[in-house]
């Protein structure tokens, strides 16, 4: 088992990464200073695969375990579902020393974290992410939220977990499309922070995609380490943390315009990273070769680098409604080279439209 | 205008206290680093009294002001009202640099603060409390929340405002009962922290109750200073902060058992402080004289020191359901002398019942 520490003062915590470590959850929880009551929040599919194992591990360590399931899907990451979960938390008799364990992907982690952050003004929170995306991104760094009909993650908090347990084993039950989409965020870390990691992914593409234990654990650990480093420097997104949104500006707009039912998040981010690379090229920040390296790596991982059938005006429109817009200014994260990005505002709309025309021919 | 600083590192803020200072709100807001958009949250009554003045002051300083009103009353401090307010925040086009101004009493401040804490993971929050209770207690210290049908403030956060503006002027439009109830929390600060303040309140009772400017501003400022000192030491209620709940253990139980429609919060706390004093006496912590000093001061401020018609079993039952219960242990805040309290667990039920029999003859 590999261990990473996220260093946030009083809010520091460990990320444990390994193969077949769910069975140790009871022991891990015993090492935390938490009360006896634990509420697991999961969804029916994940619960059918790993619920029993997790529940057994935790209860055998002497905890009183209750479970609440929420329907699968982004549209259930809502205030209405949160309301049901507060009821479950009350029914389970949780108190301030109790804990919520999120067993699932990003939706489960985000909403369970929002409940943990707000129930009794904050109780213990443990993340057991079961997708690549959740293991390398959403479970680390403390962003928790539910959606508002007018925007994703509009209602949320920064709330750090006490522990993250990423078991590589669970990735074997992911659908291939889900797996690939999650790897978009892994690739992102290479582009924004670590050229060496970019090269590793290029070299070990096959091992990673075939879920070779060593390669996958290295990919997860490196991703988490980069995210931790960024979050340590800027926990509440005052500046640096925004670089984690590389590819997300266009990506989010693409998801919003297609009502979140066409692209997986990672697929939209993949296209968004290509768009960002091309914008950077037009601003003389990236060479043609570096743009090509973006597209090749993304494409090699089975992810899209083009889109079609989406109105460009709608994308431009969605950009201005993004949560990350501040006093009317749209921010882009653009690369100066592979492994280094910066945050820019005031990208001319004409350049954005040129790039949309290049990669999203209508 | 008097100024108090609440020192919480990055989350520090000023409390401005004075007579007729609402008109300066625009200037105060201009001194903060905040965006142009401001959403005022208030209720119809307060809005009819002070809404126009506040809106004018803020918009004349160059801010774009929108307003959202919520119905008056504790039962509207709910997740349903919060949902409406998120819609209003979206409709107002708030972004991460925007601000929410809470103009009202505890209900408005608590729910507006919860919205500010969670909208886009936290936007700027300014408290303009319009009751004694809100000026000396709920607007300071960052406790924000909505109620759950099963318990008050079950859903919330610790979220500090950027500024608190307490204008003594607004207290003149309070109902007398509301005014007195608020003073219960003022008296509380004398009991828990400051014997001199206790003496001041004893001597200047008439001036305070007649809203003499100098006496009231001193009472508000001293109360806020004590609360700030406690919160600075223990922002998230890990220990010391619990002393602010003096009188609240029995007080909350009394409110809950009577469905929150019999006692004002301050009235229940007044009775709760008498109960706490009597429990402390039975544990040889307070003398008979000190118990009498409790009862006299509370009673002199026109607040109840006895209750009737409430089943004691139900009170005992409600005590064990309080949010402050941890792993089954009920905590009491008890005084060792006037001006000094400590936190105790495991008070024998028999003693609690004896005291209930003394002050709440059925």
């Amino acid at each position: 088992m590999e261990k990473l520490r996220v260093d946030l003062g009083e809010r520091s915590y460990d990320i444990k990464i390994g193969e077949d470590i769910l069975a140790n959850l009871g022991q891990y929880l015993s090492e935390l200073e938490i009360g006896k009551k634990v509420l697991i929040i999961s969804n029916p599919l994940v619960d059918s695969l790993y619920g029993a194992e997790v529940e057994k591990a935790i209860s055998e360590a002497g905890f009183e375990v209750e479970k609440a399931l929420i329907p699968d899907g982004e549209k259930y990451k809502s205030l209405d579902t949160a309301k049901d979960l507060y009821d479950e938390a009350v029914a389970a008799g949780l108190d301030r020393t109790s804990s919520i364990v999120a067993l699932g992907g990003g939706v489960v982690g985000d909403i369970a974290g929002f409940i943990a952050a707000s129930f009794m003004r904050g109780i213990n929170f443990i993340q057991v992410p079961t997708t690549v995306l959740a293991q390398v991104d959403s479970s680390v760094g403390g962003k928790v939220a539910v959606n508002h009909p007018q925007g994703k993650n509009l209602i949320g908090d920064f709330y750090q977990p006490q522990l993250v347990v990423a078991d590589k084993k669970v990735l074997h039950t992911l659908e291939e499309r889900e797996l690939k989409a999650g790897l978009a965020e892994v690739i992102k870390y290479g582009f924004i922070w670590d050229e060496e990691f970019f090269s590793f992914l290029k070299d070990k593409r096959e091992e990673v995609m075939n879920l070779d234990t060593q390669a996958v654990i290295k990919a997860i650990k490196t991703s988490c380490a980069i995210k931790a480093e960024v979050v340590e420097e800027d926990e509440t997104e005052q500046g640096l943390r925004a670089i984690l949104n590389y590819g997300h500006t266009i990506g989010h707009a693409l998801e919003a315009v297609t009502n979140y039912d066409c692209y997986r998040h990672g697929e939209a981010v993949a296209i968004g990273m290509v768009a960002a690379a091309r914008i950077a090229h037009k601003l003389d920040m990236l060479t043609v070769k570096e743009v090509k390296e973006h597209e090749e790596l993304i494409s090699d991982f089975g992810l899209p680098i083009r889109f079609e059938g989406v109105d460009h005006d709608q994308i431009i429109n969605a950009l201005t409604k993004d949560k990350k817009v501040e006093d009317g200014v749209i921010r882009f994260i653009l690369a100066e080279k592979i492994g280094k990005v910066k945050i820019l505002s005031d990208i001319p709309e004409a350049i954005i439209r040129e790039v949309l025309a290049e990669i999203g021919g209508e």
Side-chain angles (χ1 to χ4, degrees), chain A:
Chain A
M1 191 261 294
E2 309 249 349
K3 202 172 85 175
L4 251 180
R5 184 84 178 158
V6 184
D7 194 359
L8 292 165
E10 286 177 352
R11 295 180 300 288
S12 298
Y13 56 97
D14 287 337
I15 305 171
K16 295 180 198 271
I17 305 161
E19 171 87 34
D20 209 3
I21 58 174
L22 288 185
N24 308 334
L25 261 173
Q27 179 205 320
Y28 299 158
L29 262 62
S30 301
E31 290 161 8
L32 304 171
E33 277 182 37
I34 59 176
K36 285 283 161 237
K37 288 187 177 163
V38 172
L39 176 65
I40 298 172
I41 296 178
S42 191
N43 69 39
L45 177 62
V46 174
D47 181 55
S48 71
L49 293 166
Y50 306 108
E53 177 178 359
V54 165
E55 201 171 338
K56 182 162 175 278
I58 298 177
S59 58
E60 280 184 357
F63 293 94
E64 298 166 26
V65 185
E66 299 280 345
K67 195 161 65 183
L69 300 184
I70 61 172
D72 197 12
E74 185 77 30
K75 72 171 165 176
Y76 296 104
K77 206 176 93 177
S78 65
L79 216 47
D80 286 334
T81 306
K83 209 172 165 185
D84 293 341
L85 289 173
Y86 289 126
D87 293 344
E88 301 258 15
V90 170
L94 300 195
D95 65 37
R96 289 180 183 177
T97 68
S98 305
S99 305
I100 284 177
V101 171
L103 175 67
V107 168
V108 164
D110 281 6
I111 194 166
F114 183 70
I115 301 298
S118 52
F119 190 69
M120 295 188 170
R121 299 199 178 88
I123 62 173
N124 303 299
F125 178 42
I126 291 107
Q127 287 264 27
V128 185
T130 60
T131 63
V132 177
L133 182 68
Q135 292 192 347
V136 302
D137 181 23
S138 55
S139 73
V140 176
K143 278 194 179 179
V144 299
V146 297
N147 298 329
H148 183 275
Q150 300 297 316
K152 275 181 80 170
N153 300 325
L154 267 188
I155 302 164
D157 200 353
F158 292 96
Y159 194 71
Q160 302 297 338
Q162 259 72 18
L163 174 69
V164 179
V165 178
D167 189 337
K168 182 234 141 191
K169 171 179 84 171
V170 305
L171 306 182
H172 289 268
T173 47
L174 286 180
E175 280 175 37
E176 199 190 339
R177 188 176 170 192
E178 184 84 25
L179 178 70
K180 284 179 186 167
L183 290 171
E185 300 276 356
V186 173
I187 295 170
K188 179 192 76 179
Y189 292 111
F191 289 142
I192 65 168
W193 199 260
D194 189 340
E195 195 176 357
E196 214 173 284
F197 187 46
F198 165 80
S199 300
F200 165 85
L201 291 170
K202 217 161 72 172
D203 296 345
K204 300 282 181 185
R205 181 182 60 84
E206 215 165 312
E207 287 87 336
V208 171
M209 291 187 78
N210 291 332
L211 294 179
D212 169 80
T213 298
Q214 213 184 332
V216 169
I217 287 181
K218 153 118 185 168
I220 296 170
K221 192 179 174 189
T222 307
S223 298
C224 288
I226 293 170
K227 176 142 189 186
E229 207 175 329
V230 171
V231 169
E232 280 164 7
E233 204 152 306
D234 177 23
E235 188 177 358
T236 57
E237 199 161 342
Q238 305 302 306
L240 180 71
R241 185 166 178 159
I243 70 167
L244 298 172
N245 290 317
Y246 188 57
H248 286 58
T249 311
I250 297 284
H252 272 166
L254 209 50
E255 281 181 282
V257 170
T258 56
N259 291 313
Y260 299 97
D261 60 10
C262 174
Y263 295 103
R264 296 289 167 104
H265 177 66
E267 293 165 353
V269 168
I271 295 166
M273 292 193 289
V274 170
R278 285 174 173 264
I279 291 170
H281 171 60
K282 288 185 193 296
L283 297 170
D284 288 327
M285 294 169 64
L286 286 186
T287 62
V288 174
K289 180 168 170 281
E290 287 166 321
V291 173
K292 204 163 162 248
E293 285 184 312
H294 266 75
E295 296 196 346
E296 275 176 4
L297 187 68
I298 293 169
S299 176
D300 283 351
F301 272 92
L303 288 160
I305 57 173
R306 299 284 184 273
F307 68 95
E308 58 183 18
V310 183
D311 183 52
H312 296 182
D313 289 336
Q314 279 189 289
I315 295 179
I316 297 287
N317 202 17
L319 286 176
T320 63
K321 280 200 188 142
D322 195 276
K323 184 160 86 289
K324 282 172 272 301
V325 172
E326 288 184 2
D327 258 353
V329 177
I330 304 167
R331 290 181 306 178
F332 268 89
I333 322 302
L334 298 179
E336 302 172 276
K337 58 172 201 144
I338 304 274
K340 192 164 186 343
V341 290
K342 60 179 184 178
I343 304 165
L344 283 99
S345 307
D346 286 330
I347 306 297
E349 192 183 308
I351 289 189
I352 302 172
R353 285 191 182 271
E354 269 179 50
V355 166
L356 292 178
E358 286 171 14
I359 66 171
E362 280 174 284

